[in-house]
Amino acid sequence: MQAEHSVGSITKAQQQLLYQKACEARKQAYAPYSGFCVGAALLCSSGNIVLGCNVENAAYPLCLCAERTALCAAIAAGERSFLALAICGGKGEEMDAPCFPCGACRQVIAELCPPEFPILLSNGVYLAKDLLPYAFSLPDCAE
Ligand code: THU
């Protein structure tokens, strides 16, 4: 499931730029408890790129993930349509290994992005539908 996925209309150069932006956003991470810093860069259909980083809290369950801070910032800014998300994360200076989104982030991505939505990691491109098959959605709880 590595790098061979096409990413719609997004060029290789745009992919690289998006991943680079995620790595820049990672520098803003507030992660004094885990030391695991994550950055996310969300390409919106408007062309805007919205950044996110993880924000931890002494009350550990309140920690916010980079992917969700980016998606929530984008929604708050009026964005409603998204083309791709890049994620860059790791402990200390390590950031070569792919940083996969956690289960909660996968569910939020499934809510706001299409099934074919590309997620760019350090080792290639994954699709939202592959990272969370059978995602819960509103029709699942409708009568
Ligand atoms: N983290 C993210 O930002 N995104 C993920 O998808 C996985 C985990 C953050 C949360 C926490 O601040 C740190 O990484 C360690 O779990």
Side-chain angles (χ1 to χ4, degrees):
M1 201 208 291
Q2 215 173 316
E4 68 263 7
H5 285 303
S6 78
V7 291
S9 57
I10 305 164
T11 65
K12 194 82 193 163
Q14 281 176 306
Q15 290 177 50
Q16 280 166 353
L17 175 73
L18 200 62
Y19 190 75
Q20 203 179 308
K21 294 261 182 202
C23 295
E24 281 166 27
R26 181 179 179 273
K27 294 178 190 156
Q28 308 303 333
Y30 175 75
Y33 303 103
S34 73
F36 193 95
C37 296
V38 186
L42 180 65
L43 177 62
C44 306
S45 297
S46 64
N48 290 336
I49 292 176
V50 178
L51 304 180
C53 65
N54 54 332
V55 182
E56 297 188 343
N57 193 284
Y60 294 169
L62 299 185
C63 291
L64 303 173
C65 289
E67 300 89 319
R68 276 179 285 160
T69 62
L71 281 159
C72 291
I75 291 289
E79 302 286 358
R80 286 294 184 277
S81 173
F82 307 110
L83 296 177
L85 175 70
I87 307 166
C88 172
K91 201 156 182 136
E93 295 307 305
E94 299 159 22
M95 38 193 251
D96 289 342
C99 179
F100 285 91
C102 75
C105 287
R106 293 179 198 205
Q107 177 65 33
V108 173
I109 291 167
E111 173 75 30
L112 300 173
C113 307
E116 308 284 334
F117 183 71
I119 297 166
L120 284 48
L121 306 184
S122 65
N123 67 340
V125 182
Y126 297 79
L127 300 182
K129 67 176 184 187
D130 294 328
L131 291 186
L132 187 63
Y134 308 105
F136 181 79
S137 64
L138 195 55
D140 294 335
C141 64
E143 298 255 316

